[in-house]
Amino acid sequence: MELLRLLLLLVLAIGTSEGCQVQSSSSETTKDWWETAQFYQIYPRSFKDSDGDGIGDLNGITSKLEYLKDLGVTAAWLSPIYTSPMVDFGYDISDFFDIQPEYGTLEDFRALIKRAKELDLKIILDFVPNHSSNESVWFKKSVKREKGYEDYYVWHDGKINPETGAREPPTNWLQYFRGSAWEWNEERQQYYLHQFAVQQPDLNYRNPLVVDQMKRVLRYWLNEGVSGFRCDALPPLFEVLPDADGQFPDEVVSGATEDSEDRDYLTTTYIENQPETIDMVYQWRTVLDDHKRIYGGNSSVLLIETYSPAWFTMQFYGNRSTEGAHLPFNFNLITVMEQRGLNASNVQEAIDLWLNNMPAGRTANWVIGNHDKLRASTRYGKEHIDAMNILVMILPGVSVTYQGEELGMTDGKISWEQTVDPWGCNSNADIYEKYSRDPARTPFQWTSGANAGFSDGNSTWLPLADDYQTVNVEQELSDELSHLKIYKALVALRKSSKTLQNGSIKYQATADNVLIVQRSLTSSATIVGVINFGSAAVTVDLSQFDKSRTESLQLLIRSIDSTKTEGTRYDPKTLSLDPAEALVLTTE
Ligand code: GLC
Ligand code: MG
């Protein structure tokens, strides 16, 4: 998969010569709520604890909805809140129709939805279709081959080794969290497939009963008033069909790593990105649209998690005859930088990679972090967090923020002993930092007080990040300028600017490591973002980028260390930029 992605990048790099990239865009039409939305991801376990057990919960979230309102975001996506043994912190669900007791009750959830509605905030839930927990009644019944549940999961006899006579897993397939994707079940005397942890058996989507059951899950939460779903882990939803003898093919060695436990050790040709997966998402879209047709109300949305190559990802949007997901997540600002490092031309390439592949008439989106990646401030460097927030807010389409990005929160330090993430725990003390996702999941920082204002308890489920005394909501609201204030100004600008909502885009990386992003709309002010990704001071001439850019520009928003002044007009022909300085300017 890595190889494929690299190849794709290469092809694109050759295909797009340097210089300006111009994208036409939809003209000024009325847009549905989600097309210009700011989505905010809440990791419930780490957002706000209301009962002192050191674990975030629903009442905690409800008590902080006004914070989201104040940020100006449109919708909050909650990572899973369903009943779960918490092996993968909620992504292993034992009851898709109820709430994890640590997080609260269904009544608490209803109160959350009610309060959100009062504040005109939308709530999106995480939908985890690929697997359940092994503690789900479905799995227990399937183990016992109970009627109707026999084929709920992907069961297989395995193979008998002709030399040793021993039973072996059906294939060499590897799970995401290191090691074999097959687990032997003593009781049923078969292997089951788990693309994630052993405790996360894969549901069998070739069984229509499973397909129906998961649609029931969607309808159930739509009836509870949610405005859509972030759909988890789509690439492994389907595996290739077995051959006539019921055998699956092995994957081949990819060459991407020497570590034979790491999923990247093998290709994922047969276990990811199958065409049936695309079709399933189209079916879910029908469930959502039907719900709206029957009950009225706002559109509800599907946001798709996929780290797949563009040829696969873009199909989720739908085709000429079928609507698909509203938004397959665009992780290019994460993945391209992970592979090549942060600089202006790599950012340009990440933007190209999405906009040049997106089918016409669809909505783009921009993501710089989530609960699976190190925090944006740590990955890009603290000095670039405003620049990255500027990018997601001024690029066309939808912005997505992971909790804490608005504050510039950095990774927590988690020792091997403190690591609880299965991806980390399945490795060892020497390499766990490459895998553990705990550093990005430390408690949200509300204040400089005890437990960063996250919890009144004696301890928190993960330790706090070191910098909570300076990086927190309370502090950043009182500072004259802060990452939080910059973030809020960006959201406000997106909401008021017709140009950012509907304008066309032109962008370019200069030879000096500066990225220029210009958004224009007839009879509306042009917005220009200028970001110096380099470590040297530079002067840019914006009239080189756009010949009509000769009049002075007014500064609207600046990164935290910039010494310029909002409201001041600057000459676009000699715009000086300090290292890491990022500016948003306007023609008005
Ligand atoms: C997704 C989630 C991740 C989880 C996995 C399995 O990638 O974002 O946190 O571990 O799916 O559900
Ligand atoms: Mg709690």
Side-chain angles (χ1 to χ4, degrees):
M1 220 188 85
E2 286 301 307
L3 258 178
L4 251 175
R5 194 179 294 148
L6 273 176
L7 257 172
L8 207 102
L9 284 173
L10 224 111
V11 169
L12 272 159
I14 295 162
T16 57
S17 55
E18 333 122 37
C20 300
Q21 309 294 318
V22 186
Q23 286 288 326
S24 62
S25 89
S26 53
S27 55
E28 203 168 332
T29 45
T30 359
K31 295 204 156 160
D32 203 350
W33 70 267
W34 56 270
E35 293 175 279
T36 55
Q38 299 82 44
F39 287 91
Y40 185 92
Q41 180 190 357
I42 291 180
Y43 194 70
R45 206 172 177 79
S46 299
F47 193 57
K48 174 69 186 169
D49 174 22
S50 73
D51 60 3
D53 64 357
I55 295 170
D57 45 51
L58 295 184
N59 289 339
I61 296 172
T62 308
S63 73
K64 290 297 184 184
L65 286 176
E66 267 163 54
Y67 170 70
L68 299 190
K69 187 69 195 169
D70 184 51
L71 282 183
V73 299
T74 319
W77 142 38
L78 313 186
S79 278
I81 54 170
Y82 320 102
T83 322
S84 164
M86 292 290 158
V87 168
D88 191 16
F89 297 98
Y91 285 96
D92 50 322
I93 301 169
S94 50
D95 185 348
F96 285 77
F97 302 101
D98 210 347
I99 304 290
Q100 168 69 0
E102 283 169 324
Y103 294 170
T105 63
L106 213 42
E107 284 316 308
D108 296 333
F109 180 71
R110 289 178 181 142
L112 188 160
I113 293 284
K114 183 162 174 273
R115 183 71 189 126
K117 289 221 158 107
E118 284 163 13
L119 293 169
D120 193 23
L121 286 168
K122 296 194 164 56
I123 301 293
I124 311 282
L125 289 187
D126 216 307
F127 175 53
V128 185
N130 180 68
H131 45 267
S132 72
S133 158
N134 60 340
E135 293 189 20
S136 146
V137 286
W138 306 338
F139 188 70
K140 290 182 178 160
K141 289 182 180 197
S142 196
V143 166
K144 295 193 172 355
R145 298 181 197 260
E146 273 188 37
K147 193 162 170 357
Y149 293 88
E150 300 94 327
D151 300 322
Y152 240 64
Y153 296 83
V154 184
W155 293 104
H156 202 284
D157 292 336
K159 290 188 297 212
I160 303 295
N161 184 317
E163 274 151 41
T164 64
R167 192 182 293 277
E168 287 174 359
T171 63
N172 63 353
W173 299 351
L174 293 166
Q175 55 158 307
Y176 284 93
F177 298 155
R178 302 179 58 79
S180 172
W182 296 101
E183 179 75 4
W184 178 252
N185 182 273
E186 257 318 298
E187 196 177 338
R188 183 163 156 148
Q189 289 287 302
Q190 274 190 311
Y191 288 96
Y192 66 85
L193 177 71
H194 58 94
Q195 296 237 28
F196 291 89
V198 169
Q199 298 89 341
Q200 292 168 296
D202 269 49
L203 286 156
N204 174 17
Y205 275 79
R206 304 211 180 263
N207 179 351
L209 295 177
V210 169
V211 172
D212 284 351
Q213 180 71 275
M214 296 314 280
K215 287 181 181 169
R216 204 181 133 227
V217 172
L218 293 174
R219 292 192 195 98
Y220 179 88
W221 294 104
L222 287 171
N223 286 337
E224 289 289 345
V226 308
S227 299
F229 304 90
R230 173 266 188 184
C231 304
D232 179 75
L234 260 291
L237 196 72
F238 277 86
E239 298 71 38
V240 75
L241 271 170
D243 64 19
D245 300 328
Q247 299 305 316
F248 291 113
D250 277 337
E251 295 282 359
V252 298
V253 173
S254 72
T257 168
E258 299 281 284
D259 179 350
S260 61
E261 298 282 291
D262 189 309
R263 185 170 171 100
D264 288 343
Y265 183 72
L266 300 176
T267 57
T268 51
T269 315
Y270 305 117
I271 60 172
E272 284 185 15
N273 305 343
Q274 303 300 308
E276 294 91 333
T277 301
I278 303 284
D279 177 67
M280 190 53 52
V281 170
Y282 295 177
Q283 293 187 37
W284 297 338
R285 173 65 183 260
T286 306
V287 171
L288 266 61
D289 288 353
D290 284 353
H291 192 271
K292 182 179 171 185
R293 206 167 296 136
I294 298 166
Y295 301 102
N298 291 316
S299 311
S300 43
V301 293
L302 290 175
L303 279 60
I304 300 291
E305 188 209 24
T306 153
Y307 288 89
S308 304
W311 67 264
F312 190 71
T313 300
M314 293 299 169
Q315 294 183 61
F316 282 112
Y317 273 121
N319 55 39
R320 286 215 179 104
S321 52
T322 318
E323 289 296 314
H326 302 74
L327 302 160
F329 280 128
N330 169 6
F331 295 130
N332 295 343
L333 289 173
I334 300 176
T335 51
V336 176
M337 303 317 126
E338 269 177 353
Q339 287 154 15
R340 306 168 156 218
L342 180 66
N343 65 40
S345 69
N346 290 347
V347 171
Q348 172 178 317
E349 201 161 292
I351 302 172
D352 283 345
L353 194 49
W354 196 266
L355 294 183
N356 296 346
N357 286 298
M358 187 174 73
R362 301 292 177 183
T363 302
N365 70 94
W366 309 94
V367 187
I368 55 170
N370 56 44
H371 64 295
D372 293 328
K373 296 287 172 185
L374 296 182
R375 285 191 169 276
S377 264
T378 306
R379 247 180 308 114
Y380 300 118
K382 275 190 223 172
E383 67 282 19
H384 294 301
I385 189 64
D386 297 324
M388 297 312 286
N389 280 332
I390 286 174
L391 266 182
V392 298
M393 291 292 177
I394 69 171
L395 289 169
V398 161
S399 72
V400 185
T401 297
Y402 175 53
Q403 67 180 42
E405 277 166 8
E406 75 278 26
L407 304 175
M409 271 179 69
T410 54
D411 284 343
K413 284 202 187 65
I414 310 286
S415 67
W416 167 244
E417 287 72 27
Q418 290 166 323
T419 295
V420 288
D421 175 29
W423 209 339
C425 295
N426 286 350
S427 67
N428 61 57
D430 297 329
I431 56 170
Y432 79 98
E433 282 170 303
K434 185 176 166 211
Y435 299 100
S436 174
R437 297 166 295 175
D438 293 326
R441 299 175 176 183
T442 58
F444 190 81
Q445 293 157 200
W446 294 101
T447 70
S448 54
N451 293 334
F454 162 72
S455 172
D456 294 335
N458 300 326
S459 62
T460 54
W461 78 281
L462 278 178
L464 297 168
D466 288 345
D467 56 8
Y468 78 92
Q469 282 172 335
T470 48
V471 180
N472 62 67
V473 174
E474 186 183 54
Q475 181 68 45
E476 295 196 27
L477 282 178
S478 67
D479 288 346
E480 204 175 318
L481 188 63
S482 61
H483 300 306
L484 179 55
K485 285 196 168 163
I486 293 164
Y487 181 90
K488 284 174 67 173
L490 287 164
V491 176
L493 178 65
R494 264 172 70 88
K495 290 197 154 160
S496 63
S497 166
K498 286 262 172 297
T499 308
L500 289 187
Q501 290 164 22
N502 298 303
S504 62
I505 182 171
K506 175 173 164 145
Y507 55 101
Q508 184 186 13
T510 72
D512 287 341
N513 210 358
V514 170
L515 184 79
I516 308 166
V517 177
Q518 175 173 287
R519 303 289 312 278
S520 332
L521 187 70
T522 325
S523 71
S524 217
T526 297
I527 305 277
V528 189
V530 191
I531 299 171
N532 182 4
F533 282 106
S535 46
V538 290
T539 300
V540 290
D541 177 357
L542 294 177
S543 71
Q544 293 278 316
F545 162 75
D546 179 341
K547 288 197 177 51
S548 64
R549 234 15 359 99
T550 50
E551 304 292 316
S552 71
L553 294 170
Q554 189 197 155
L555 181 67
L556 292 177
I557 297 169
R558 65 186 162 107
S559 54
I560 196 158
D561 291 327
S562 163
T563 53
K564 298 191 176 55
T565 320
E566 290 90 351
T568 303
R569 302 198 75 93
Y570 291 88
D571 181 355
K573 293 186 155 188
T574 55
L575 187 65
S576 64
L577 291 165
D578 287 334
E581 187 167 8
L583 307 172
V584 181
L585 306 124
T586 177
T587 48
E588 272 188 354

